[in-house]
C-alpha cells in the first residue's frame, strides 16, 4: 500500500510529479531510496535542482474563443531564448492559455493544478518538461476576459515577446469590431499605456508629476502666475503619454484613440468602449542574475 504521505515525501525530495512519484514507489514496493534512484534514472528528479535558476526568457501566448467572447493570455518562462523556440514548450504555453480561458481559475496555483490531460496536471507536465529539456520553467502569470456584447481580441508581437489582450464592449454585431479591437491591441503593444483613461491615473502619482513640473517651471525662472498654466499643459501631455484613450493613434497621429473609437462607433451605430486591457512583456520585472565568470574561476582556484 503506497501512502499519500510517502508520495508527498518523494515529491518534496525530487520535485517530480505526483503520478511519477506514485509509480516509482509502486515499482520499488515502497522503498523510498530506490524510488529516488528510479526517478533520477528517468531524469525526473533533476527538475528540483533546476527550480532555483532564474527563468526570465520564455513566451507570451494568447487564446481567443471562436466566437471572440472570451480569451486569456499567459506568460510561461524558461532560462534561454533557445528553449523559448522549442516546439514542445510553445505548444505547452498555448494549451495553458486555452485552459485559463476555459476554466474557472483566478490564480496561477489553481491554473497549474488543472488536469492537462487524463493522467497529469499542468504542474506535473511542466515538471516533466523541465527534466526533459534541462531548464527551469514556470507558469508566471495569466489574465482572462469575457464579454457578452462586444469582442475579445489579442495581439502577439516579436514571436511572443509582447502580448496584448483587449475586451471591447459594443451592442453592434458589426464585423468592423474585430478590426477595431486589433487596432487597439496594436496601439497598446506599441505605446504601452499605463492607464485606460485619465480617471484611472493614481492621484498620488499625478500629484508627484505636478510637483515635478511645478519645480521645473520655477527653476526655469518662469513667473509664478503662469507656472500653474504650464503645469496644466504638461499634465495634458502626460495624459497623452500614459492614458490609452488620450494617446495619439499609431496609424494616424492626428487623432487620439478616443477620437478613433468615436468615429468607429458612428460607423457601426453603437458606442464602442474599451472595458479592459492587459499587456505582458516577457520577463518584465524579473531580476536576471549577472554571472561574473572571472570571479567564479578565481573562487574555484582559491579552494
Amino acid at each position: 500500500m503506497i501512502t499519500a504521505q510517502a508520495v508527498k515525501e518523494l515529491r518534496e525530495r525530487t520535485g517530480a510529479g505526483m503520478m511519477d512519484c506514485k509509480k516509482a514507489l509502486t515499482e520499488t514496493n515502497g522503498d523510498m531510496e530506490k524510488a529516488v534512484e528510479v526517478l533520477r534514472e528517468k531524469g525526473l528528479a533533476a527538475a528540483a535542482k533546476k527550480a532555483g535558476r532564474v527563468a526570465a526568457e520564455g513566451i507570451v501566448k494568447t487564446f481567443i474563443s471562436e466566437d471572440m467572447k472570451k480569451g486569456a493570455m499567459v506568460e510561461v518562462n524558461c532560462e534561454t531564448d533557445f528553449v523559448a523556440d522549442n516546439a514542445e514548450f510553445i505548444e505547452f504555453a498555448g494549451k495553458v492559455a486555452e485552459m485559463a480561458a476555459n476554466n474557472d481559475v483566478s490564480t496561477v496555483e489553481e491554473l497549474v493544478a488543472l488536469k492537462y490531460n487524463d493522467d497529469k496536471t499542468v504542474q506535473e507536465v511542466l515538471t516533466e518538461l523541465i527534466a526533459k529539456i534541462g531548464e527551469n520553467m514556470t507558469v508566471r502569470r495569466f489574465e482572462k476576459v469575457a464579454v457578452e456584447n462586444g469582442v475579445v481580441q489579442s495581439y502577439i508581437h516579436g514571436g511572443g515577446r509582447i502580448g496584448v489582450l483587449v475586451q471591447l464592449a459594443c451592442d453592434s454585431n458589426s464585423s468592423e469590431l474585430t478590426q477595431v479591437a486589433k487596432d487597439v491591441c496594436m496601439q497598446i503593444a506599441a505605446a504601452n499605456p499605463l492607464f485606460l483613461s485619465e480617471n484611472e491615473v493614481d492621484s498620488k502619482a499625478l500629484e508627484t508629476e505636478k510637483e515635478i513640473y511645478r519645480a521645473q517651471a520655477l527653476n526655469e525662472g518662469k513667473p509664478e502666475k503662469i507656472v500653474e498654466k504650464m503645469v496644466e499643459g504638461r499634465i495634458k501631455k502626460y495624459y497623452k503619454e500614459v492614458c490609452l484613450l488620450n494617446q495619439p493613434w499609431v496609424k494616424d497621429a492626428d487623432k487620439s484613440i478616443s477620437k478613433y473609437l468615436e468615429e468607429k462607433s458612428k460607423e457601426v451605430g453603437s458606442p464602442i468602449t474599451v472595458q479592459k486591457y492587459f499587456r505582458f512583456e516577457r520577463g518584465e520585472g524579473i531580476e536576471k542574475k549577472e554571472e561574473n565568470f572571472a570571479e567564479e574561476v578565481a573562487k574555484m582556484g582559491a579552494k
Side-chain angles (χ1 to χ4, degrees):
M1 175 73 177
I2 305 302
T3 65
Q5 182 58 39
V7 174
K8 181 174 181 289
E9 183 183 340
L10 184 58
R11 177 175 167 77
E12 288 172 354
R13 287 183 60 176
T14 64
M18 296 289 272
M19 288 303 296
D20 291 312
C21 289
K22 186 175 181 181
K23 286 176 185 176
L25 285 165
T26 302
E27 187 179 328
T28 59
N29 295 316
D31 188 311
M32 185 66 65
E33 297 307 319
K34 285 184 179 178
V36 171
E37 287 179 17
V38 167
L39 290 173
R40 288 184 64 189
E41 286 168 5
K42 291 180 179 179
L44 298 175
K49 295 179 181 179
K50 297 178 178 70
R53 303 205 305 235
V54 177
E57 294 295 331
I59 195 169
V60 177
K61 291 287 281 184
T62 59
F63 170 82
I64 303 296
S65 62
E66 252 184 72
D67 61 3
M68 292 189 294
K69 296 299 183 184
K70 63 181 177 181
M73 178 167 61
V74 64
E75 179 183 0
V76 182
N77 296 119
C78 56
E79 295 179 52
T80 65
D81 53 6
F82 177 77
V83 169
D85 291 332
N86 177 283
E88 200 170 351
F89 177 78
I90 294 170
E91 182 185 357
F92 172 80
K95 183 166 181 180
V96 172
E98 183 177 355
M99 292 174 70
N102 291 327
N103 287 275
D104 183 19
V105 290
S106 58
T107 66
V108 170
E109 289 74 21
E110 290 173 345
L111 178 58
V112 298
L114 291 174
K115 281 286 187 181
Y116 186 88
N117 52 37
D118 292 339
D119 299 320
K120 297 179 176 67
T121 65
V122 172
Q123 185 58 57
E124 287 169 341
V125 171
L126 181 61
T127 300
E128 288 184 352
L129 204 56
I130 292 169
K132 180 178 179 180
I133 295 178
E135 283 194 9
N136 185 26
M137 302 174 201
T138 58
V139 177
R140 184 188 180 199
R141 54 180 171 166
F142 74 95
E143 292 291 350
K144 53 193 292 186
V145 293
V147 66
E148 289 188 13
N149 299 317
V151 296
V152 169
Q153 191 54 266
S154 68
Y155 172 68
I156 294 292
H157 178 76
R161 185 174 68 85
I162 293 172
V164 175
L165 187 65
V166 165
Q167 177 182 323
L168 288 189
C170 184
D171 289 332
S172 169
N173 291 320
S174 170
S175 59
E176 187 69 18
L177 281 179
T178 302
Q179 185 57 50
V180 174
K182 286 180 179 177
D183 283 338
V184 173
C185 282
M186 292 182 71
Q187 174 75 27
I188 294 165
N192 192 15
L194 302 179
F195 309 97
L196 173 59
S197 66
E198 294 178 18
N199 294 333
E200 290 189 0
V201 178
D202 180 72
S203 57
K204 288 184 179 179
L206 190 60
E207 282 306 312
T208 299
E209 290 297 319
K210 286 181 179 179
E211 287 303 318
I212 290 170
Y213 297 148
R214 194 172 287 114
Q216 288 174 347
L218 291 171
N219 289 337
E220 290 168 9
K222 306 296 183 184
E224 285 195 28
K225 60 183 180 181
I226 68 165
V227 165
E228 287 308 313
K229 288 185 178 179
M230 289 183 68
V231 169
E232 187 179 327
R234 289 182 181 180
I235 287 297
K236 284 182 180 178
K237 185 180 178 184
Y238 173 72
Y239 283 145
K240 283 185 178 181
E241 292 172 355
V242 303
C243 298
L244 173 63
L245 297 180
N246 298 62
Q247 286 181 337
W249 186 27
V250 291
K251 288 188 176 181
D252 183 354
D254 290 332
K255 65 178 70 170
S256 66
I257 290 297
S258 180
K259 181 66 177 174
Y260 167 67
L261 291 174
E262 186 182 317
E263 291 175 358
K264 289 298 179 181
S265 295
K266 289 178 182 177
E267 282 185 30
V268 303
S270 181
I272 302 172
T273 58
V274 181
Q275 288 188 316
K276 289 180 184 177
Y277 77 86
F278 299 99
R279 182 185 188 275
F280 284 177
E281 189 160 347
R282 179 185 63 209
E284 61 187 344
I286 298 176
E287 188 175 338
K288 295 184 182 180
K289 184 180 178 181
E290 297 296 330
E291 300 286 359
N292 187 319
F293 291 106
E295 283 186 10
E296 288 297 317
V297 172
K299 286 179 182 176
M300 289 175 68
K303 291 179 181 179

